[in-house]
Amino acid sequence: MNGRTSSAINTLKFICLIGVIMIHCNPMIFLGNSAGENAVMTFDVISAFLALCVPFFFVLSGFLFFNFDSFDFRIILRKWKTRVRSLVVPYLLWCTLYGLLRIVKGLYLGYDGDGIVVDGHVSMLGFLRGYWDTGDGYPMGFALWFVRNLIVFVALAPAVYFVARRWWTAALFLCLPLLDVNLYGIEYFVLGATLGLHKVELSSIVNKHVGLWFLLWGVALVAATLYFLEAVFALRYAGFMLSICLVAKFDSFWPRMARLVSENSNVFFFIYAIHGMYCPAIDKVFIKILTPDNVLVTLACFILSLLTNLILSYIIFLVAKAVSPRFIDLLSGGRFIKKTRA
């Protein structure tokens, strides 16, 4: 993997991080159709692009995990060991923090206990179940479902390897969603693994007219989202290829921004993990203040909620860093202190 691809991966991670937070800032979650048809259609289009963010994270994770030449169980063991620190430990810590917050909200603030607080009492069984699923398909930290699934995908690495090592087996597996098979996102992890095992230089997949191809792809994605959902999974595969190449072009055009993103990449995971604690509340505050009933006001709610979440999350990061850098390093999966020392 050359430096151009490495830089593009960091930048795409940053873009996808913003996209994930934007998903949770979508005011239509609470407004439904009350903001008007134009708002509904506008956010349907926005959501079509934002829905790419988690799949892209899965692809990048698969690519980085399987960026080696041939199967060697010692390599798998070494990578499993690093993922315990970068995925499992922060996942357990963040879920615990989310669970404690849910206890406070359930006992004292009148919120639904989600099986963790039952009849005014804390259920230890419900708490333990919450590390996997609180009953709605999400763990105690709802934004952490991506990490939960990724931990499972990484645990299945030997099986993924035997699918991804040949183009034809990978292609057959990637077509399973066409048969309405729910793979819970592992198809994107397999795509990344296939690209990694075959040493595909991500930044060079498409070299000419990337912007034009991306525009045409974007039109196709919107059309498929509105009229032909069955084709969306394939467009997501293609969209990753185009996006990573477009981002590489952007990095070449604006290297200072690429360096800035790379230098601050140790903050990404913390912001992603913590924003779910207050994102819905921030959405509701702006909805109450602005009472959106048209597309412009709804977009204003959306943007203000996003900016507030980003700023608040970064402020909390700075305060927590000043109090305990080592705890921040644990919560960040070992990313913080390593990057600071570098």
Side-chain angles (χ1 to χ4, degrees):
M1 179 170 59
N2 61 32
R4 190 164 179 258
T5 294
S6 179
S7 176
I9 286 174
N10 274 333
T11 303
L12 188 58
K13 282 182 178 179
F14 173 71
I15 293 170
C16 289
L17 166 70
I18 301 298
V20 168
I21 297 176
M22 289 173 77
I23 291 171
H24 301 146
C25 292
N26 187 343
M28 303 304 290
I29 296 171
F30 304 104
L31 293 172
N33 296 326
S34 63
E37 291 183 8
N38 289 336
V40 171
M41 182 170 290
T42 298
F43 278 89
D44 281 347
V45 172
I46 292 172
S47 297
F49 289 96
L50 295 181
L52 301 169
C53 295
V54 171
F56 284 6
F57 269 126
F58 282 140
V59 178
L60 291 172
S61 298
F63 178 81
L64 293 172
F65 189 95
F66 287 95
N67 193 26
F68 51 78
D69 294 318
S70 58
F71 184 82
D72 185 334
F73 204 69
R74 289 172 298 180
I75 296 176
I76 298 290
L77 286 173
R78 188 181 75 243
K79 286 181 174 281
W80 273 341
K81 184 177 179 180
T82 63
R83 268 47 175 197
V84 167
R85 186 184 185 194
S86 65
L87 292 176
V88 178
V89 171
Y91 176 77
L92 294 175
L93 288 174
W94 279 109
C95 275
T96 301
L97 293 175
Y98 271 90
L100 294 174
L101 180 61
R102 288 197 180 203
I103 289 174
V104 172
K105 291 168 69 176
L107 288 178
Y108 306 110
L109 301 178
Y111 283 82
D112 189 328
D114 297 313
I116 298 168
V117 176
V118 180
D119 296 328
H121 300 282
V122 177
S123 168
M124 289 307 300
L125 181 58
F127 195 93
L128 291 174
R129 284 175 177 165
Y131 284 100
W132 180 258
D133 185 353
T134 58
D136 56 1
Y138 298 98
M140 289 184 283
F142 75 91
L144 299 171
W145 73 267
F146 157 77
V147 181
R148 177 198 64 190
N149 287 24
L150 184 56
I151 290 170
V152 176
F153 302 163
V154 167
L156 295 173
V160 171
Y161 170 82
F162 285 104
V163 173
R165 64 175 178 164
R166 294 188 179 90
W167 285 108
W168 70 270
T169 53
L172 288 176
F173 189 85
L174 294 177
C175 287
L176 287 177
L178 189 61
L179 303 176
D180 202 27
V181 178
N182 186 354
L183 297 173
Y184 300 96
I186 198 171
E187 64 269 33
Y188 303 107
F189 188 76
V190 167
L191 173 59
T194 305
L195 296 172
L197 288 171
H198 291 88
K199 299 298 179 184
V200 175
E201 204 60 65
L202 297 182
S203 60
S204 303
I205 295 174
V206 181
N207 286 314
K208 294 183 179 180
H209 311 300
V210 180
L212 177 60
W213 283 115
F214 188 85
L215 178 62
L216 294 172
W217 165 82
V219 172
L221 178 66
V222 172
T225 301
L226 296 176
Y227 306 110
F228 189 52
L229 275 174
E230 293 81 0
V232 167
F233 80 95
L235 287 169
R236 287 177 179 172
Y237 299 155
F240 173 79
M241 315 292 187
L242 290 168
S243 296
I244 195 75
C245 293
L246 190 64
V247 167
K249 294 281 187 184
F250 172 82
D251 284 352
S252 299
F253 179 75
W254 201 352
R256 184 173 297 179
M257 178 59 72
R259 285 196 299 272
L260 183 64
V261 169
S262 179
E263 289 166 2
N264 290 278
S265 61
N266 57 348
V267 187
F268 295 173
F269 188 89
F270 184 92
I271 292 176
Y272 152 73
I274 199 169
H275 84 278
M277 289 188 171
Y278 38 76
C279 189
I282 290 173
D283 291 350
K284 292 177 182 178
V285 167
F286 283 113
I287 288 171
K288 187 172 184 179
I289 293 172
L290 299 178
T291 58
D293 58 359
N294 62 67
V295 66
L296 290 179
V297 180
T298 308
L299 284 170
C301 279
F302 183 49
I303 295 168
L304 288 170
S305 180
L306 171 65
L307 293 175
T308 304
N309 272 280
L310 289 172
I311 293 169
L312 179 59
S313 298
Y314 191 67
I315 290 173
I316 293 173
F317 171 79
L318 292 176
V319 173
K321 180 183 73 170
V323 173
S324 179
R326 291 194 176 277
F327 188 54
I328 289 297
D329 193 50
L330 285 173
L331 290 173
S332 301
R335 297 168 177 87
F336 174 65
I337 291 179
K338 180 180 178 181
K339 289 289 290 187
T340 301
R341 288 174 178 168

